[in-house]
């Protein structure tokens, strides 16, 4: 017995996104952890998964990669538009550490927070609320950089008024020669930012789906809310809004370079992100699986090695 043989008539029927091919997802999982790095035909030649043996290594590697992206742009005399997540977060202290060690200013960086919690009208939490993504970024990244930080006028947050301007702002920067970097995590339902899989049913074609730069007051999938209850809210589902403002594929798929992170281990063999990681790498591009597009972009996807499995029941 398994999900396939018992889903009909159950509460799971109709709960999962309609466009998911569950059998195909299951087939994405390799027979051994070592297979997770085997190159797939749809990967960009300059896309590379990077295994990390510990959380500390993960944070250092991702932080260093972001710092190098900032430093390299500065060395070339270029502006850098940088789309940033709140989650994972541990890498930011290392980005700050390396930039300070190298004495590299981020004054050429234009930061764009990829999403923010909202209500059904797109109104967001005040920036003084510790649950807001703006608060998190100010305290984890912009503030600790001190005199090397991104100027306040170059920091963008996903408010109802500002998010719709992201596309034009980034286009203007790229017209001046700026590169676009995207830092991302992978959701339980394979979202990038809060661009959820069920949005796919609203579009007549993939090209229409790919063109969308943002969504205000996006309706979140219940699994996304539960993911955040586990990872960020100490199990308190009641604290989490059911909507969010988010960038869309019209922005994150335009990246010149993308830095991804999958750190969803929970201890004692428990995890929430193993299936999400394998599916991201092997499913092939599909709007119902937004993260499936990230291997088509130059960059690195850092992941906790434990997520590679084997993804079988743990009886210990």
């Amino acid at each position: 017995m398994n999900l396939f043989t018992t889903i009909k008539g159950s509460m799971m029927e109709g709960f999962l996104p309609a466009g998911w091919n569950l059998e195909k997802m299951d087939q994405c999982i390799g027979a051994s952890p070592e297979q997770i790095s085997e190159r797939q035909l749809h990967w960009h030649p300059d896309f590379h998964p990077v295994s990390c043996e510990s959380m500390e290594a993960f944070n250092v590697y991702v932080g260093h990669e972001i710092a190098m992206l900032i430093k390299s742009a500065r060395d070339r005399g270029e502006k850098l538009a940088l789309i940033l997540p709140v989650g994972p977060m541990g890498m930011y202290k290392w980005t700050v550490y390396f930039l300070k060690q190298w004495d590299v200013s981020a004054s050429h960086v234009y930061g764009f927070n990829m999403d923010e919690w909202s209500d059904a009208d797109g109104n967001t939490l005040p920036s003084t609320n510790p649950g807001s993504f703006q608060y998190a970024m100010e305290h984890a990244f912009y503030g600790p950089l001190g005199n090397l930080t991104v100027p306040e006028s170059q920091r963008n947050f996903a408010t109802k008024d500002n998010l719709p301007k992201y596309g034009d702002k980034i286009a203007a920067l790229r017209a001046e020669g700026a590169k676009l970097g995207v830092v991302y995590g992978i959701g339980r339902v394979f979202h990038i930012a809060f661009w959820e899989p069920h949005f796919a049913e609203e579009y007549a074609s993939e090209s229409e789906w790919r063109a969308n730069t943002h969504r205000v007051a996006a309706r979140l999938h219940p699994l996304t809310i539960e993911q955040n209850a586990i990872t960020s809210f100490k199990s308190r589902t009641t604290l989490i809004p059911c909507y969010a403002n988010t960038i869309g594929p019209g922005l994150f798929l335009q990246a010149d370079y993308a830095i991804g992170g999958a750190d969803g281990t929970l201890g004692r063999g428990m995890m929430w992100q193993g299936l999400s990681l394998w599916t991201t790498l092997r499913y092939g591009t599909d709007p119902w699986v937004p993260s499936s597009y990230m291997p088509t972009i130059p960059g690195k996807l850092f992941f906790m090695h434990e997520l590679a499995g084997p993804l079988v029941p743990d009886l210990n």
Side-chain angles (χ1 to χ4, degrees), residues 222-254:
L223 286 177
T224 292
I225 294 170
E226 273 305 285
Q227 172 199 320
N228 281 274
I230 292 168
T231 60
S232 303
F233 287 85
K234 299 184 184 298
S235 80
R236 290 186 66 183
T237 305
T238 54
L239 293 180
I240 305 173
C242 295
Y243 299 85
N245 298 339
T246 181
I247 63 166
L251 292 182
F252 63 75
L253 294 185
Q254 301 306 312

PDB file of all heavy atoms in Angstrom, residues 222-254:
ATOM      1  N   PRO A 222      -1.273  25.071   1.231  1.00  0.00           N
ATOM      2  CA  PRO A 222      -1.176  24.662   2.637  1.00  0.00           C
ATOM      3  C   PRO A 222       0.166  24.028   3.009  1.00  0.00           C
ATOM      4  O   PRO A 222       0.647  24.218   4.133  1.00  0.00           O
ATOM      5  CB  PRO A 222      -2.319  23.651   2.783  1.00  0.00           C
ATOM      6  CG  PRO A 222      -3.332  24.083   1.773  1.00  0.00           C
ATOM      7  CD  PRO A 222      -2.530  24.591   0.608  1.00  0.00           C
ATOM      8  N   LEU A 223       0.783  23.297   2.089  1.00  0.00           N
ATOM      9  CA  LEU A 223       2.078  22.705   2.400  1.00  0.00           C
ATOM     10  C   LEU A 223       3.156  23.770   2.556  1.00  0.00           C
ATOM     11  O   LEU A 223       4.125  23.578   3.300  1.00  0.00           O
ATOM     12  CB  LEU A 223       2.476  21.688   1.326  1.00  0.00           C
ATOM     13  CG  LEU A 223       1.720  20.363   1.344  1.00  0.00           C
ATOM     14  CD1 LEU A 223       2.165  19.474   0.185  1.00  0.00           C
ATOM     15  CD2 LEU A 223       1.920  19.641   2.672  1.00  0.00           C
ATOM     16  N   THR A 224       3.020  24.887   1.848  1.00  0.00           N
ATOM     17  CA  THR A 224       3.954  25.995   2.024  1.00  0.00           C
ATOM     18  C   THR A 224       3.815  26.591   3.416  1.00  0.00           C
ATOM     19  O   THR A 224       4.811  26.913   4.088  1.00  0.00           O
ATOM     20  CB  THR A 224       3.698  27.076   0.959  1.00  0.00           C
ATOM     21  OG1 THR A 224       4.050  26.554  -0.328  1.00  0.00           O
ATOM     22  CG2 THR A 224       4.516  28.327   1.227  1.00  0.00           C
ATOM     23  N   ILE A 225       2.587  26.743   3.866  1.00  0.00           N
ATOM     24  CA  ILE A 225       2.355  27.289   5.201  1.00  0.00           C
ATOM     25  C   ILE A 225       2.911  26.352   6.260  1.00  0.00           C
ATOM     26  O   ILE A 225       3.583  26.775   7.211  1.00  0.00           O
ATOM     27  CB  ILE A 225       0.851  27.554   5.399  1.00  0.00           C
ATOM     28  CG1 ILE A 225       0.407  28.674   4.441  1.00  0.00           C
ATOM     29  CG2 ILE A 225       0.551  27.927   6.846  1.00  0.00           C
ATOM     30  CD1 ILE A 225      -1.085  28.870   4.362  1.00  0.00           C
ATOM     31  N   GLU A 226       2.704  25.053   6.093  1.00  0.00           N
ATOM     32  CA  GLU A 226       3.226  24.092   7.059  1.00  0.00           C
ATOM     33  C   GLU A 226       4.750  24.020   7.009  1.00  0.00           C
ATOM     34  O   GLU A 226       5.412  23.840   8.036  1.00  0.00           O
ATOM     35  CB  GLU A 226       2.616  22.720   6.833  1.00  0.00           C
ATOM     36  CG  GLU A 226       1.301  22.525   7.562  1.00  0.00           C
ATOM     37  CD  GLU A 226       1.439  22.798   9.060  1.00  0.00           C
ATOM     38  OE1 GLU A 226       2.010  21.965   9.791  1.00  0.00           O
ATOM     39  OE2 GLU A 226       0.980  23.876   9.503  1.00  0.00           O
ATOM     40  N   GLN A 227       5.327  24.160   5.819  1.00  0.00           N
ATOM     41  CA  GLN A 227       6.795  24.206   5.717  1.00  0.00           C
ATOM     42  C   GLN A 227       7.335  25.332   6.580  1.00  0.00           C
ATOM     43  O   GLN A 227       8.303  25.160   7.332  1.00  0.00           O
ATOM     44  CB  GLN A 227       7.229  24.419   4.264  1.00  0.00           C
ATOM     45  CG  GLN A 227       8.716  24.665   4.101  1.00  0.00           C
ATOM     46  CD  GLN A 227       9.062  25.325   2.773  1.00  0.00           C
ATOM     47  OE1 GLN A 227       8.500  24.996   1.745  1.00  0.00           O
ATOM     48  NE2 GLN A 227       9.985  26.280   2.803  1.00  0.00           N
ATOM     49  N   ASN A 228       6.716  26.496   6.492  1.00  0.00           N
ATOM     50  CA  ASN A 228       7.189  27.643   7.265  1.00  0.00           C
ATOM     51  C   ASN A 228       6.886  27.497   8.751  1.00  0.00           C
ATOM     52  O   ASN A 228       7.640  28.011   9.590  1.00  0.00           O
ATOM     53  CB  ASN A 228       6.594  28.928   6.694  1.00  0.00           C
ATOM     54  CG  ASN A 228       7.322  29.393   5.453  1.00  0.00           C
ATOM     55  OD1 ASN A 228       8.322  30.090   5.543  1.00  0.00           O
ATOM     56  ND2 ASN A 228       6.851  28.978   4.282  1.00  0.00           N
ATOM     57  N   ALA A 229       5.813  26.796   9.085  1.00  0.00           N
ATOM     58  CA  ALA A 229       5.560  26.515  10.493  1.00  0.00           C
ATOM     59  C   ALA A 229       6.712  25.695  11.082  1.00  0.00           C
ATOM     60  O   ALA A 229       7.162  25.939  12.209  1.00  0.00           O
ATOM     61  CB  ALA A 229       4.245  25.756  10.655  1.00  0.00           C
ATOM     62  N   ILE A 230       7.216  24.741  10.305  1.00  0.00           N
ATOM     63  CA  ILE A 230       8.310  23.884  10.755  1.00  0.00           C
ATOM     64  C   ILE A 230       9.632  24.637  10.789  1.00  0.00           C
ATOM     65  O   ILE A 230      10.387  24.551  11.765  1.00  0.00           O
ATOM     66  CB  ILE A 230       8.427  22.657   9.832  1.00  0.00           C
ATOM     67  CG1 ILE A 230       7.206  21.750  10.008  1.00  0.00           C
ATOM     68  CG2 ILE A 230       9.710  21.877  10.103  1.00  0.00           C
ATOM     69  CD1 ILE A 230       7.097  20.672   8.948  1.00  0.00           C
ATOM     70  N   THR A 231       9.922  25.404   9.725  1.00  0.00           N
ATOM     71  CA  THR A 231      11.263  25.969   9.565  1.00  0.00           C
ATOM     72  C   THR A 231      11.456  27.326  10.226  1.00  0.00           C
ATOM     73  O   THR A 231      12.579  27.679  10.586  1.00  0.00           O
ATOM     74  CB  THR A 231      11.610  26.101   8.072  1.00  0.00           C
ATOM     75  OG1 THR A 231      10.639  26.969   7.444  1.00  0.00           O
ATOM     76  CG2 THR A 231      11.590  24.748   7.382  1.00  0.00           C
ATOM     77  N   SER A 232      10.389  28.111  10.375  1.00  0.00           N
ATOM     78  CA  SER A 232      10.572  29.488  10.818  1.00  0.00           C
ATOM     79  C   SER A 232       9.725  29.908  12.010  1.00  0.00           C
ATOM     80  O   SER A 232      10.040  30.908  12.654  1.00  0.00           O
ATOM     81  CB  SER A 232      10.262  30.451   9.646  1.00  0.00           C
ATOM     82  OG  SER A 232      11.081  30.173   8.530  1.00  0.00           O
ATOM     83  N   PHE A 233       8.634  29.209  12.290  1.00  0.00           N
ATOM     84  CA  PHE A 233       7.695  29.671  13.308  1.00  0.00           C
ATOM     85  C   PHE A 233       7.532  28.689  14.471  1.00  0.00           C
ATOM     86  O   PHE A 233       6.526  28.713  15.166  1.00  0.00           O
ATOM     87  CB  PHE A 233       6.338  29.964  12.663  1.00  0.00           C
ATOM     88  CG  PHE A 233       6.333  31.225  11.841  1.00  0.00           C
ATOM     89  CD1 PHE A 233       6.745  31.219  10.517  1.00  0.00           C
ATOM     90  CD2 PHE A 233       5.932  32.428  12.401  1.00  0.00           C
ATOM     91  CE1 PHE A 233       6.746  32.384   9.757  1.00  0.00           C
ATOM     92  CE2 PHE A 233       5.925  33.594  11.651  1.00  0.00           C
ATOM     93  CZ  PHE A 233       6.330  33.577  10.328  1.00  0.00           C
ATOM     94  N   LYS A 234       8.537  27.817  14.652  1.00  0.00           N
ATOM     95  CA  LYS A 234       8.556  26.916  15.804  1.00  0.00           C
ATOM     96  C   LYS A 234       7.237  26.164  15.969  1.00  0.00           C
ATOM     97  O   LYS A 234       6.711  26.034  17.068  1.00  0.00           O
ATOM     98  CB  LYS A 234       8.927  27.688  17.079  1.00  0.00           C
ATOM     99  CG  LYS A 234      10.316  28.326  17.017  1.00  0.00           C
ATOM    100  CD  LYS A 234      10.687  28.983  18.323  1.00  0.00           C
ATOM    101  CE  LYS A 234      12.020  29.704  18.221  1.00  0.00           C
ATOM    102  NZ  LYS A 234      13.149  28.813  17.911  1.00  0.00           N
ATOM    103  N   SER A 235       6.677  25.741  14.865  1.00  0.00           N
ATOM    104  CA  SER A 235       5.468  24.915  14.749  1.00  0.00           C
ATOM    105  C   SER A 235       4.170  25.702  14.843  1.00  0.00           C
ATOM    106  O   SER A 235       3.091  25.132  14.689  1.00  0.00           O
ATOM    107  CB  SER A 235       5.443  23.781  15.792  1.00  0.00           C
ATOM    108  OG  SER A 235       5.021  24.243  17.070  1.00  0.00           O
ATOM    109  N   ARG A 236       4.218  27.036  15.017  1.00  0.00           N
ATOM    110  CA  ARG A 236       2.997  27.810  15.249  1.00  0.00           C
ATOM    111  C   ARG A 236       2.343  28.212  13.922  1.00  0.00           C
ATOM    112  O   ARG A 236       2.503  29.328  13.426  1.00  0.00           O
ATOM    113  CB  ARG A 236       3.288  29.033  16.109  1.00  0.00           C
ATOM    114  CG  ARG A 236       3.621  28.671  17.544  1.00  0.00           C
ATOM    115  CD  ARG A 236       3.762  29.885  18.417  1.00  0.00           C
ATOM    116  NE  ARG A 236       2.490  30.611  18.573  1.00  0.00           N
ATOM    117  CZ  ARG A 236       2.379  31.753  19.262  1.00  0.00           C
ATOM    118  NH1 ARG A 236       3.445  32.276  19.849  1.00  0.00           N
ATOM    119  NH2 ARG A 236       1.214  32.355  19.359  1.00  0.00           N
ATOM    120  N   THR A 237       1.614  27.290  13.357  1.00  0.00           N
ATOM    121  CA  THR A 237       0.889  27.534  12.109  1.00  0.00           C
ATOM    122  C   THR A 237       0.023  28.787  12.212  1.00  0.00           C
ATOM    123  O   THR A 237      -0.151  29.520  11.236  1.00  0.00           O
ATOM    124  CB  THR A 237       0.008  26.316  11.770  1.00  0.00           C
ATOM    125  OG1 THR A 237       0.821  25.147  11.741  1.00  0.00           O
ATOM    126  CG2 THR A 237      -0.677  26.484  10.424  1.00  0.00           C
ATOM    127  N   THR A 238      -0.501  29.059  13.388  1.00  0.00           N
ATOM    128  CA  THR A 238      -1.422  30.181  13.584  1.00  0.00           C
ATOM    129  C   THR A 238      -0.774  31.541  13.380  1.00  0.00           C
ATOM    130  O   THR A 238      -1.475  32.544  13.203  1.00  0.00           O
ATOM    131  CB  THR A 238      -2.019  30.130  15.002  1.00  0.00           C
ATOM    132  OG1 THR A 238      -0.944  30.068  15.968  1.00  0.00           O
ATOM    133  CG2 THR A 238      -2.907  28.905  15.157  1.00  0.00           C
ATOM    134  N   LEU A 239       0.547  31.607  13.362  1.00  0.00           N
ATOM    135  CA  LEU A 239       1.233  32.892  13.175  1.00  0.00           C
ATOM    136  C   LEU A 239       1.457  33.241  11.706  1.00  0.00           C
ATOM    137  O   LEU A 239       1.900  34.351  11.400  1.00  0.00           O
ATOM    138  CB  LEU A 239       2.595  32.861  13.883  1.00  0.00           C
ATOM    139  CG  LEU A 239       2.590  32.785  15.410  1.00  0.00           C
ATOM    140  CD1 LEU A 239       4.028  32.753  15.927  1.00  0.00           C
ATOM    141  CD2 LEU A 239       1.832  33.968  16.009  1.00  0.00           C
ATOM    142  N   ILE A 240       1.144  32.321  10.802  1.00  0.00           N
ATOM    143  CA  ILE A 240       1.582  32.478   9.415  1.00  0.00           C
ATOM    144  C   ILE A 240       0.460  33.002   8.529  1.00  0.00           C
ATOM    145  O   ILE A 240      -0.632  32.432   8.491  1.00  0.00           O
ATOM    146  CB  ILE A 240       2.088  31.124   8.868  1.00  0.00           C
ATOM    147  CG1 ILE A 240       3.178  30.576   9.779  1.00  0.00           C
ATOM    148  CG2 ILE A 240       2.604  31.282   7.435  1.00  0.00           C
ATOM    149  CD1 ILE A 240       3.621  29.183   9.426  1.00  0.00           C
ATOM    150  N   PRO A 241       0.710  34.096   7.771  1.00  0.00           N
ATOM    151  CA  PRO A 241      -0.288  34.575   6.816  1.00  0.00           C
ATOM    152  C   PRO A 241      -0.508  33.560   5.689  1.00  0.00           C
ATOM    153  O   PRO A 241       0.375  32.761   5.370  1.00  0.00           O
ATOM    154  CB  PRO A 241       0.340  35.865   6.271  1.00  0.00           C
ATOM    155  CG  PRO A 241       1.355  36.274   7.283  1.00  0.00           C
ATOM    156  CD  PRO A 241       1.882  34.983   7.855  1.00  0.00           C
ATOM    157  N   CYS A 242      -1.673  33.624   5.090  1.00  0.00           N
ATOM    158  CA  CYS A 242      -2.023  32.699   4.007  1.00  0.00           C
ATOM    159  C   CYS A 242      -1.726  33.271   2.625  1.00  0.00           C
ATOM    160  O   CYS A 242      -1.996  32.617   1.617  1.00  0.00           O
ATOM    161  CB  CYS A 242      -3.503  32.329   4.097  1.00  0.00           C
ATOM    162  SG  CYS A 242      -3.929  31.410   5.586  1.00  0.00           S
ATOM    163  N   TYR A 243      -1.161  34.474   2.584  1.00  0.00           N
ATOM    164  CA  TYR A 243      -0.857  35.138   1.319  1.00  0.00           C
ATOM    165  C   TYR A 243       0.553  35.725   1.382  1.00  0.00           C
ATOM    166  O   TYR A 243       1.113  35.914   2.466  1.00  0.00           O
ATOM    167  CB  TYR A 243      -1.848  36.278   1.041  1.00  0.00           C
ATOM    168  CG  TYR A 243      -3.288  35.844   0.922  1.00  0.00           C
ATOM    169  CD1 TYR A 243      -4.091  35.703   2.050  1.00  0.00           C
ATOM    170  CD2 TYR A 243      -3.847  35.569  -0.322  1.00  0.00           C
ATOM    171  CE1 TYR A 243      -5.419  35.298   1.953  1.00  0.00           C
ATOM    172  CE2 TYR A 243      -5.173  35.167  -0.429  1.00  0.00           C
ATOM    173  CZ  TYR A 243      -5.954  35.036   0.707  1.00  0.00           C
ATOM    174  OH  TYR A 243      -7.257  34.636   0.591  1.00  0.00           O
ATOM    175  N   ALA A 244       1.091  36.016   0.200  1.00  0.00           N
ATOM    176  CA  ALA A 244       2.400  36.651   0.128  1.00  0.00           C
ATOM    177  C   ALA A 244       2.529  37.408  -1.187  1.00  0.00           C
ATOM    178  O   ALA A 244       1.910  37.048  -2.192  1.00  0.00           O
ATOM    179  CB  ALA A 244       3.519  35.622   0.242  1.00  0.00           C
ATOM    180  N   ASN A 245       3.330  38.458  -1.171  1.00  0.00           N
ATOM    181  CA  ASN A 245       3.745  39.135  -2.400  1.00  0.00           C
ATOM    182  C   ASN A 245       5.026  38.463  -2.887  1.00  0.00           C
ATOM    183  O   ASN A 245       5.924  38.189  -2.076  1.00  0.00           O
ATOM    184  CB  ASN A 245       4.003  40.617  -2.139  1.00  0.00           C
ATOM    185  CG  ASN A 245       2.769  41.358  -1.669  1.00  0.00           C
ATOM    186  OD1 ASN A 245       1.643  40.912  -1.885  1.00  0.00           O
ATOM    187  ND2 ASN A 245       2.960  42.498  -1.021  1.00  0.00           N
ATOM    188  N   THR A 246       5.126  38.207  -4.167  1.00  0.00           N
ATOM    189  CA  THR A 246       6.260  37.425  -4.658  1.00  0.00           C
ATOM    190  C   THR A 246       6.666  37.803  -6.078  1.00  0.00           C
ATOM    191  O   THR A 246       5.829  38.206  -6.892  1.00  0.00           O
ATOM    192  CB  THR A 246       5.929  35.918  -4.616  1.00  0.00           C
ATOM    193  OG1 THR A 246       7.063  35.162  -5.070  1.00  0.00           O
ATOM    194  CG2 THR A 246       4.730  35.570  -5.491  1.00  0.00           C
ATOM    195  N   ILE A 247       7.948  37.655  -6.366  1.00  0.00           N
ATOM    196  CA  ILE A 247       8.401  37.730  -7.747  1.00  0.00           C
ATOM    197  C   ILE A 247       7.914  36.488  -8.486  1.00  0.00           C
ATOM    198  O   ILE A 247       7.497  35.506  -7.879  1.00  0.00           O
ATOM    199  CB  ILE A 247       9.932  37.840  -7.855  1.00  0.00           C
ATOM    200  CG1 ILE A 247      10.609  36.582  -7.290  1.00  0.00           C
ATOM    201  CG2 ILE A 247      10.433  39.092  -7.162  1.00  0.00           C
ATOM    202  CD1 ILE A 247      12.065  36.445  -7.654  1.00  0.00           C
ATOM    203  N   GLY A 248       7.986  36.545  -9.828  1.00  0.00           N
ATOM    204  CA  GLY A 248       7.576  35.420 -10.651  1.00  0.00           C
ATOM    205  C   GLY A 248       8.676  34.995 -11.602  1.00  0.00           C
ATOM    206  O   GLY A 248       9.787  35.548 -11.592  1.00  0.00           O
ATOM    207  N   PRO A 249       8.394  34.020 -12.460  1.00  0.00           N
ATOM    208  CA  PRO A 249       9.409  33.506 -13.392  1.00  0.00           C
ATOM    209  C   PRO A 249       9.919  34.556 -14.359  1.00  0.00           C
ATOM    210  O   PRO A 249      11.034  34.431 -14.871  1.00  0.00           O
ATOM    211  CB  PRO A 249       8.671  32.371 -14.118  1.00  0.00           C
ATOM    212  CG  PRO A 249       7.215  32.610 -13.876  1.00  0.00           C
ATOM    213  CD  PRO A 249       7.120  33.283 -12.550  1.00  0.00           C
ATOM    214  N   GLY A 250       9.127  35.601 -14.605  1.00  0.00           N
ATOM    215  CA  GLY A 250       9.595  36.680 -15.469  1.00  0.00           C
ATOM    216  C   GLY A 250      10.809  37.388 -14.929  1.00  0.00           C
ATOM    217  O   GLY A 250      11.502  38.099 -15.670  1.00  0.00           O
ATOM    218  N   LEU A 251      11.103  37.195 -13.640  1.00  0.00           N
ATOM    219  CA  LEU A 251      12.327  37.741 -13.040  1.00  0.00           C
ATOM    220  C   LEU A 251      13.330  36.644 -12.707  1.00  0.00           C
ATOM    221  O   LEU A 251      14.486  36.705 -13.130  1.00  0.00           O
ATOM    222  CB  LEU A 251      11.985  38.548 -11.786  1.00  0.00           C
ATOM    223  CG  LEU A 251      11.223  39.854 -12.024  1.00  0.00           C
ATOM    224  CD1 LEU A 251      10.998  40.586 -10.707  1.00  0.00           C
ATOM    225  CD2 LEU A 251      11.965  40.757 -12.998  1.00  0.00           C
ATOM    226  N   PHE A 252      12.905  35.602 -11.953  1.00  0.00           N
ATOM    227  CA  PHE A 252      13.930  34.655 -11.492  1.00  0.00           C
ATOM    228  C   PHE A 252      14.507  33.815 -12.620  1.00  0.00           C
ATOM    229  O   PHE A 252      15.643  33.327 -12.512  1.00  0.00           O
ATOM    230  CB  PHE A 252      13.453  33.803 -10.314  1.00  0.00           C
ATOM    231  CG  PHE A 252      12.293  32.877 -10.527  1.00  0.00           C
ATOM    232  CD1 PHE A 252      12.420  31.694 -11.229  1.00  0.00           C
ATOM    233  CD2 PHE A 252      11.047  33.164  -9.963  1.00  0.00           C
ATOM    234  CE1 PHE A 252      11.355  30.814 -11.379  1.00  0.00           C
ATOM    235  CE2 PHE A 252       9.973  32.290 -10.094  1.00  0.00           C
ATOM    236  CZ  PHE A 252      10.129  31.113 -10.820  1.00  0.00           C
ATOM    237  N   LEU A 253      13.799  33.673 -13.749  1.00  0.00           N
ATOM    238  CA  LEU A 253      14.352  32.906 -14.862  1.00  0.00           C
ATOM    239  C   LEU A 253      15.252  33.751 -15.767  1.00  0.00           C
ATOM    240  O   LEU A 253      15.848  33.219 -16.707  1.00  0.00           O
ATOM    241  CB  LEU A 253      13.231  32.275 -15.690  1.00  0.00           C
ATOM    242  CG  LEU A 253      12.397  31.208 -14.977  1.00  0.00           C
ATOM    243  CD1 LEU A 253      11.405  30.569 -15.940  1.00  0.00           C
ATOM    244  CD2 LEU A 253      13.280  30.145 -14.336  1.00  0.00           C
ATOM    245  N   GLN A 254      15.357  35.039 -15.464  1.00  0.00           N
ATOM    246  CA  GLN A 254      16.236  35.915 -16.250  1.00  0.00           C
ATOM    247  C   GLN A 254      17.638  36.011 -15.659  1.00  0.00           C
ATOM    248  O   GLN A 254      18.478  36.764 -16.157  1.00  0.00           O
ATOM    249  CB  GLN A 254      15.619  37.309 -16.342  1.00  0.00           C
ATOM    250  CG  GLN A 254      14.237  37.350 -16.976  1.00  0.00           C
ATOM    251  CD  GLN A 254      14.209  36.683 -18.339  1.00  0.00           C
ATOM    252  OE1 GLN A 254      15.057  36.948 -19.196  1.00  0.00           O
ATOM    253  NE2 GLN A 254      13.240  35.794 -18.544  1.00  0.00           N
TER     254      GLN A 254
END
